[in-house]
Amino acid sequence: MKIEQIYTGCLAQGAYYIVSNGEAAIIDPLRETQPYLDRLQKDNVKLKYIFETHFHADFVSGHLDLSTKTNAPIVYGPTAQPEFEAIIAEDHQVFWVGDIKIKVLHTPGHTMESSSFLLIDENGEDKALFSGDTLFLGDVGRPDLAQKAANMTQEELAGLLYESLYNKILPLDDDITVYPAHGAGSACGKNMQKETVDSLGNQKKTNYALNQKDKESFIKAVTDGLLPPPAYFGMNVAMNKKGYDSFDEVLSKGLQALSPDKFEELAEHSGALVLDVRENGDFAKGFVPQSINIGLNGDFAPWVGALMVDVKQPILLITNRNEEEETVTRLSRVGFDNVLGFLQGGFEDWKNSGKEIDSVNRISAKEFEEEIKGKEATIVDVRKESEYNAEHVQEAFNRPLAYINDWINTINPAEHFYLHCAGGYRSMMAASILQARGYRNFSEIEGGFNAIAQTDIPKSDFVCQTKILNI
């Protein structure tokens, strides 16, 4: 028997590849299927089942394409109602994969169809739990995403989650390995550990949600401090439930190379958003006017979803050379399939063609220190509230990037302000959005708060973020 966790850091997502005696199962596959097909071929095994823990909200699963290419059936837990052919398993139903068994445990609460899969090895021993978004390491699935579909409050869903965890998962043996669907950085939980695998016994000791004195305290603990979910989540759920275009078609369409003239023409007449995925330092020095910067080398896909929202939005890409396929792939993981093409030759060819370019007024932390010394200044900190509360520049305003559409209209375009995040990744996103909407009277700070912390600029007292989150 072999269990392989295929972890994707950008999405903080874990898919699982399991092999036993010539047969395989895959749990919660990503959108692109070729890596799984390559594994199957290398191991010379047949894919018997594709298991889905629930209708994912934060990414588009590869279940449909994978099923089409392998003829393996898709398996959901009880109550799931996908709009395509699938096996809807019963609670405690067992599926054989080679010499091992995978047992379905219906664990509603995060969503109504949420299920965990218990792996029973060749000797009949409970070996591993693939817990989906029911149980994370350090946390549990948020119970507010399925409210509308379930016609329930988040408190009622949290109550279901309590019953699932305390009646079906906690009674399992301590030495079972827990393989969750997500890790730290995912918006599906609020307090995940950085590790991606743990024993159930250790989670019983360390996970706050598994150590509540009663159901009422559990409900309060897991619903307290939940931030609004990213707006694209509902669209991803719909794609996972209803179906989507094949990844091969999406990739072929997105890899259309466009000359600067054709790119400019499409940008003007298609309503497409121009997305520049280069490093923020490169973007600051020069970019195609009106383009938005979300760096590929970061939490790219989640930020695309949070800031762009509409998965049907037409997109034109500007990338570094040979990063076009990676960019289209990562966009498709969160359902943004409508890429019209990319700028052939990248920004350099645009600049060399003599077309108009724009830039961001980026200054160093030292320059920032000199400019504000002894003066009143408006400073906008786009980090998360918890980061701001931990330590910030005195007098700075906290305006998290995730909510830029809510606060952008409060900016006075006639008043100069300074803009920063932790390291420059998020503040350059904010800067590009601000300039695309006509706000230009600002300076963005290179290196963000990490660089500011090395100066003598007055800052608030440091408070550990874990204390802020009451961890």
Side-chain angles (χ1 to χ4, degrees), residues 185-382:
S186 169
C188 293
K190 60 181 180 180
N191 181 38
M192 298 187 208
Q193 297 169 354
K194 65 180 183 297
E195 295 81 9
T196 62
V197 177
D198 197 8
S199 69
L200 182 57
N202 193 51
Q203 284 304 301
K204 290 177 184 180
K205 296 175 184 176
T206 61
N207 190 319
Y208 79 96
L210 304 184
N211 286 279
Q212 298 299 317
K213 62 181 181 180
D214 54 33
K215 187 174 183 178
E216 183 179 355
S217 62
F218 174 90
I219 292 171
K220 184 179 187 305
V222 301
T223 57
D224 185 43
L226 286 174
L227 297 174
Y232 78 99
F233 270 23
M235 299 179 196
N236 276 198
V237 170
M239 292 177 72
N240 283 319
K241 190 173 183 178
K242 297 175 183 293
Y244 46 73
D245 293 336
S246 78
F247 172 73
D248 294 340
E249 293 175 5
V250 171
L251 187 61
S252 176
K253 175 184 171 186
L255 293 182
Q256 299 298 312
L258 304 169
S259 68
D261 286 342
K262 182 62 175 176
F263 189 92
E264 184 176 45
E265 180 185 346
L266 262 179
E268 290 177 352
H269 298 105
S270 67
L273 181 144
V274 179
L275 178 62
D276 189 322
V277 305
R278 294 176 297 148
E279 294 279 357
N280 60 79
D282 294 333
F283 181 86
K285 296 171 186 175
F287 58 90
V288 174
Q290 301 297 304
S291 58
I292 303 301
N293 176 236
I294 304 179
L296 190 64
N297 295 324
D299 291 334
F300 174 71
W303 277 117
V304 167
L307 297 176
M308 292 172 54
V309 179
D310 184 3
V311 297
K312 296 181 180 179
Q313 167 68 50
I315 299 169
L316 288 166
L317 291 177
I318 301 172
T319 74
N320 291 319
R321 293 180 189 272
N322 302 318
E323 290 185 346
E324 301 89 4
E325 182 171 344
E326 175 70 10
T327 304
V328 175
T329 298
R330 289 171 68 172
L331 285 168
S332 76
R333 290 175 183 166
V334 285
F336 288 82
D337 290 355
N338 197 10
V339 178
L340 305 183
F342 66 93
L343 179 59
Q344 189 171 27
F347 176 71
E348 287 303 312
D349 275 21
W350 177 275
K351 184 171 66 173
N352 293 337
S353 72
K355 295 186 181 296
E356 182 184 357
I357 64 173
D358 201 354
S359 62
V360 169
N361 179 29
R362 166 170 269 194
I363 63 173
S364 69
K366 196 66 181 173
E367 289 173 311
F368 174 49
E369 182 179 26
E370 292 298 322
E371 288 186 17
I372 67 171
K373 190 176 294 182
K375 301 177 184 176
E376 288 189 5
T378 300
I379 304 164
V380 177
D381 182 338
V382 301

